[in-house]
Amino acid sequence: MTSEVKQQPLAIDVDLPEECWELIFYLLLDHHRHFESLSLVSKHFLVITNQLRTTLTVSDQTTPFLPRLLRRFQHLRNLDFCGFHGDLESILCLIAKSKLDLEALNISNQKNLHLNGLHILGSNMKNLKSLYCSKVSFLQDIHLFVIAASFPRLEELDISYPEHKNIFSSTGSNDSGTFSGPVTDLGVSELSSRLNNLIKIDLSDELLISIVEACLPLNKLILARCHGFTFAGLLLLLSKYHSLSLISIEGMNFLTDQNINELSKFFSKLTSINLGLCSKLTNSTFFTLTRNCPLLNEINMERTNLGKEECPTKFVVNPQVKSLNLAQNGKLSNESIKKFVAICPNLQVLNLSSCRGITEEGFEEIFKRCSEIRHLEINYFSAITDFEIDSEVSKLEKLSAKGSGLNDEALAMVGKRSCRLSILDLAGCLNVTEKGVKEVVKNCRGLREINLKWCDNVNIDIVAWMVITRPSLRKIIPPCGFVPTESQMKLFLSHGCCVCEG
């Protein structure tokens, strides 16, 4: 006698507290952009992911939706307006009324900082700890006075690269119809005397001695492209601050390998260093840093003199280093890059743009040794058309290959081996056709942005196909000549994708 047993659907209780769901989401996802797919599962997940988002980047295109976004994401702690070019004062007032409790605000790349807007914001954002005002055209001492008075808990302030244009304006940077001059020691002194919690200040003026005498509790120092001081002054400053975690001394052409070797004895707490445009530094500096800085996480040696000398046969592996920017080092060879990636096996970010001495052999060694790479820049490698990617490499999320010689076969390899790819920049890749693009779009299910500008051999008809085929796409820069109609734009936006004009 036989009997049939009907299998009932397995019921799973998923009624977990929100704290548990939040912990699960944090463990599974390492970036807020991944929250979008979860928010579509249910209203419950939508509410949870809204609460988890803490960072928002605002551009000119997203400004009309800002009031709605500020209401939706009520736990935002970090707002970035460095790509915004509109009326900043109204934006600051809007943020001030939002009831957010911000910790960091980036308002860099602005023509002007309105004093009234800063004051209103400071009156409502008493817990703001980081304020970034880099590359502000008319930054003056009076702005520093208002910042010092309005943000008493400020710990980080970036006022680097002010243009100091000496002009008069009825709506000028001090809102009084007069010009009060650029940033001086007086403004910096006001910051140091009123902001007792200041641990980082980014400057581009000749103030080394003033900083030493001020005895600020600094742990980060940026003196990028400063002039008017010598190695002796830099040595004096760094000998005063042994606990610095970040140092940027970009553009110090007088620095030598021996100088860095001498300074490195003060780098025991260093996690990030920027030596870009220090043209006398060679491979020796790289080996000194990786050997003497056990906590070092990020190295920038863009446009230095890497590759000039031979690499030593013995070296010390530094598993802490996660990011290397070695762009525009034309002498860098396969031999050098093989040693570098052997020293830094846990690399996640690597920029080798315009390092034309590296061939397919060097790239294959990179993929073989560095299985953790997530962000790779190989812009302007016109001689490289194809390369092999080891099967273990599956964590690549961003690939920038502008102006490179990559062909369809290389793109097919990327699509096959890098299923987590979310950002792909192929601007100016003349060997790429729609065949290679289709391989990437079909295989990379999380692809969010793709740039095909100046890809003259890619048919513009592929744009609509990409939007329909890959629902995850949020931004497409199409080949030149593509001008979407109004109905097409509505169709693309209904799919959640912004398509720019080619």
Side-chain angles (χ1 to χ4, degrees):
M1 182 177 180
T2 62
S3 61
E4 294 184 358
V5 178
K6 294 184 178 180
Q7 293 187 351
Q8 298 295 327
L10 183 62
I12 301 177
D13 183 11
V14 292
D15 187 19
L16 299 176
E18 286 193 5
E19 293 81 1
C20 293
W21 281 120
E22 290 179 3
L23 181 60
I24 292 171
F25 291 171
Y26 272 128
L27 291 174
L28 292 177
L29 306 174
D30 55 6
H31 196 281
H32 61 73
R33 65 173 175 268
H34 299 138
F35 290 162
E36 182 178 349
S37 56
L38 284 174
S39 68
L40 300 176
V41 174
S42 66
K43 290 184 178 180
H44 188 199
F45 279 15
L46 174 63
V47 172
I48 295 175
T49 53
N50 285 349
Q51 295 174 349
L52 291 179
R53 190 178 185 113
T54 59
T55 300
L56 180 66
T57 299
V58 180
S59 63
D60 295 339
Q61 290 77 17
T62 56
T63 304
F65 309 103
L66 185 58
R68 186 188 308 171
L69 294 173
L70 296 181
R71 290 193 299 269
R72 175 181 175 184
F73 304 115
Q74 298 179 5
H75 289 74
L76 289 174
R77 295 293 179 266
N78 187 340
L79 289 178
D80 188 343
F81 288 88
C82 67
F84 171 73
H85 304 95
D87 182 3
L88 182 63
E89 183 170 23
S90 63
I91 291 295
L92 295 180
C93 294
L94 177 64
I95 298 171
K97 298 176 182 177
S98 66
K99 298 182 180 181
L100 294 174
D101 187 16
L102 291 184
E103 295 179 357
L105 177 66
N106 190 340
I107 49 176
S108 299
N109 303 315
Q110 304 297 321
K111 293 182 179 180
N112 185 20
L113 295 184
H114 294 275
L115 302 184
N116 184 54
L118 286 174
H119 177 71
I120 294 175
L121 182 69
S123 300
N124 293 272
M125 298 291 168
K126 294 296 185 182
N127 292 323
L128 194 74
K129 296 179 180 179
S130 302
L131 181 62
Y132 305 98
C133 310
S134 179
K135 299 179 182 177
V136 174
S137 298
F138 304 107
L139 190 69
Q140 303 165 24
D141 279 342
I142 192 170
H143 292 102
L144 303 192
F145 297 154
V146 173
I147 288 172
S150 303
F151 304 101
R153 297 187 180 181
L154 208 60
E155 296 179 2
E156 299 186 17
L157 176 63
D158 184 346
I159 54 173
S160 58
Y161 307 117
E163 294 187 11
H164 297 164
K165 292 182 179 179
N166 189 5
I167 68 169
F168 291 84
S169 173
S170 58
T171 58
S173 53
N174 58 6
D175 293 350
S176 64
T178 61
F179 180 79
S180 61
V183 172
T184 68
D185 289 359
L186 183 63
V188 176
S189 176
E190 180 74 7
L191 292 174
S192 61
S193 63
R194 299 197 62 166
L195 300 179
N196 297 325
N197 296 327
L198 197 64
I199 60 175
K200 175 186 175 184
I201 181 169
D202 301 349
L203 305 167
S204 53
D205 298 303
E206 303 83 354
L207 297 168
L208 293 191
I209 304 301
S210 300
I211 295 172
V212 172
E213 294 175 349
C215 296
L216 298 170
L218 295 178
N219 63 21
K220 300 179 182 179
L221 178 69
I222 297 181
L223 295 168
R225 307 194 190 188
C226 294
H227 304 282
F229 61 88
T230 63
F231 172 69
L234 186 61
L235 181 62
L236 174 66
L237 178 66
L238 294 181
S239 64
K240 176 73 173 181
Y241 296 100
H242 289 196
S243 61
L244 289 174
S245 63
L246 181 148
I247 295 175
S248 176
I249 44 180
E250 178 183 303
M252 304 303 165
N253 290 322
F254 58 80
L255 287 176
T256 65
D257 292 330
Q258 182 58 38
N259 291 154
I260 298 299
N261 187 53
E262 189 172 351
L263 293 174
S264 66
K265 61 186 178 183
F266 307 120
F267 292 169
S268 60
K269 301 289 183 65
L270 197 65
T271 60
S272 176
I273 188 166
N274 181 359
L275 299 171
L277 281 77
C278 296
S279 57
K280 294 182 180 178
L281 302 183
T282 69
N283 291 356
S284 179
T285 286
F286 181 86
F287 291 108
T288 294
L289 293 173
T290 53
R291 181 181 65 249
N292 296 347
C293 305
L295 303 181
L296 196 58
N297 179 273
E298 180 180 16
I299 302 175
N300 183 346
M301 291 188 68
E302 180 179 1
R303 290 181 65 183
T304 54
N305 209 4
L306 289 174
K308 181 180 180 181
E309 61 180 0
E310 294 184 1
C311 299
T313 55
K314 295 183 179 180
F315 52 82
V316 177
V317 175
N318 190 330
Q320 293 297 323
V321 178
K322 302 297 193 301
S323 176
L324 283 182
N325 184 355
L326 311 177
Q328 300 189 62
N329 279 286
K331 298 178 183 177
L332 197 61
S333 63
N334 287 334
E335 179 189 357
S336 296
I337 199 61
K338 287 179 181 179
K339 290 285 179 66
F340 289 1
V341 296
I343 291 172
C344 310
N346 293 329
L347 277 180
Q348 295 182 6
V349 179
L350 179 60
N351 187 347
L352 294 174
S353 299
S354 299
C355 295
R356 294 183 175 88
I358 301 175
T359 66
E360 284 92 342
E361 177 187 348
F363 281 108
E364 289 172 11
E365 186 72 13
I366 293 170
F367 291 126
K368 182 184 298 183
R369 288 189 175 271
C370 302
S371 60
E372 297 295 318
I373 283 190
R374 300 186 180 191
H375 180 173
L376 179 64
E377 294 194 35
I378 53 173
N379 303 313
Y380 310 113
F381 272 89
S382 57
I384 293 183
T385 58
D386 196 6
F387 50 72
E388 291 290 328
I389 299 181
D390 190 89
S391 59
E392 296 296 323
V393 177
S394 60
K395 297 183 179 180
L396 191 65
E397 296 181 359
K398 180 177 180 180
L399 175 62
S400 182
K402 292 182 292 187
S404 72
L406 291 188
N407 57 24
D408 290 339
E409 288 71 24
L411 281 187
M413 176 67 71
V414 169
K416 182 179 180 181
R417 302 295 195 199
S418 306
C419 58
R420 294 179 60 177
L421 194 70
S422 62
I423 300 176
L424 179 60
D425 192 342
L426 299 172
C429 291
L430 299 181
N431 292 331
V432 169
T433 71
E434 56 270 21
K435 177 182 177 182
V437 174
K438 285 185 175 181
E439 288 296 316
V440 171
V441 172
K442 285 190 296 185
N443 290 304
C444 299
R445 297 185 177 182
L447 191 65
R448 296 180 63 85
E449 298 182 17
I450 186 168
N451 185 356
L452 299 173
K453 190 175 184 179
W454 299 312
C455 291
D456 295 344
N457 291 312
V458 175
N459 194 312
I460 60 176
D461 293 338
I462 197 176
V463 174
W465 177 87
M466 287 193 294
V467 173
I468 301 299
T469 303
R470 183 51 58 220
S472 63
L473 276 170
R474 291 295 173 264
K475 182 179 180 180
I476 298 176
I477 301 179
C480 296
F482 180 81
V483 181
T485 65
E486 184 176 349
S487 60
Q488 284 178 318
M489 288 295 293
K490 290 182 179 179
L491 174 63
F492 299 152
L493 289 174
S494 69
H495 286 267
C497 186
C498 174
V499 179
C500 308
E501 290 191 9

